[in-house]
């Protein structure tokens, strides 16, 4: 079974506000995120910021999946997030995926933030 979802949102605000809010989205407002660690960060010669973060979340698994895992394991999900921020073109691209439970469930999130002049 494969599920695919495509969503589009317009976030009103300056590039700096949207960028900062996106990077800080787990710090205060998400109670299900237990840890957020920067594994790697560098600025490339063309001034792009590359980052890899490791997140630990506690999400409720689907009922069918809860039977496959021990109670203490089923609620911890480890997630990697790669991001590329280009301040010159004011774009940010992230790719997020789970690294545990991947034998049963694979979650991939691709997000592209950019300035839209049609708003």
């Amino acid at each position: 079974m494969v599920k695919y979802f495509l969503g589009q949102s317009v976030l009103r605000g300056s590039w700096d506000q949207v960028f900062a809010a996106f990077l800080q989205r787990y710090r205060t407002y998400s109670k299900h995120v237990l840890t957020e660690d920067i594994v790697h960060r560098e600025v490339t010669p063309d001034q792009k910021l590359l980052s890899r973060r490791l997140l630990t979340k506690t999400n409720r698994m689907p009922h069918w999946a809860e039977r496959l895992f021990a109670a203490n394991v089923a609620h911890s999900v480890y997630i990697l997030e790669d991001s590329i921020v280009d301040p010159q073109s004011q774009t940010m691209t992230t790719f997020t995926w789970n690294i545990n439970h991947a034998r049963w469930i694979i979650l991939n999130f691709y997000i592209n933030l950019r300035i839209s002049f049609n708003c």
Side-chain angles (χ1 to χ4, degrees):
M1 174 174 61
V2 175
K3 289 191 176 186
Y4 178 80
F5 171 77
L6 175 64
Q8 184 173 347
S9 298
V10 175
L11 305 173
R12 301 202 186 278
S14 69
W15 162 250
D16 295 335
Q17 290 171 326
V18 172
F19 168 69
F22 185 85
L23 284 183
Q24 297 177 16
R25 69 191 182 278
Y26 296 131
R27 297 215 175 132
T28 305
Y29 306 108
S30 298
K31 303 298 182 206
H32 68 287
V33 177
L34 300 176
T35 64
E36 177 184 5
D37 298 303
I38 298 169
V39 177
H40 176 78
R41 185 163 278 169
E42 72 175 282
V43 177
T44 64
D46 58 347
Q47 299 303 302
K48 293 179 182 172
L49 176 66
L50 306 179
S51 299
R52 174 166 280 181
R53 299 191 304 169
L54 174 65
L55 306 163
T56 306
K57 293 184 176 185
T58 58
N59 291 352
R60 182 167 176 88
M61 289 192 142
H63 291 295
W64 63 266
E66 287 180 348
R67 289 180 265 144
L68 298 174
F69 302 100
N72 62 334
V73 174
H75 298 287
S76 295
V77 179
Y78 301 104
I79 296 169
L80 280 176
E81 177 186 86
D82 284 347
S83 63
I84 303 170
V85 179
D86 185 348
Q88 294 169 350
S89 66
Q90 296 185 328
T91 61
M92 178 177 186
T93 302
T94 67
F95 183 68
T96 308
W97 69 99
N98 61 305
I99 56 176
N100 65 334
H101 310 317
R103 186 173 174 188
W104 293 277
I105 238 173
I106 296 173
L107 300 172
N108 294 319
F109 297 96
Y110 175 79
I111 297 173
N112 188 5
L113 295 175
R114 61 183 168 76
I115 296 292
S116 174
F117 297 102
N118 297 330
C119 300

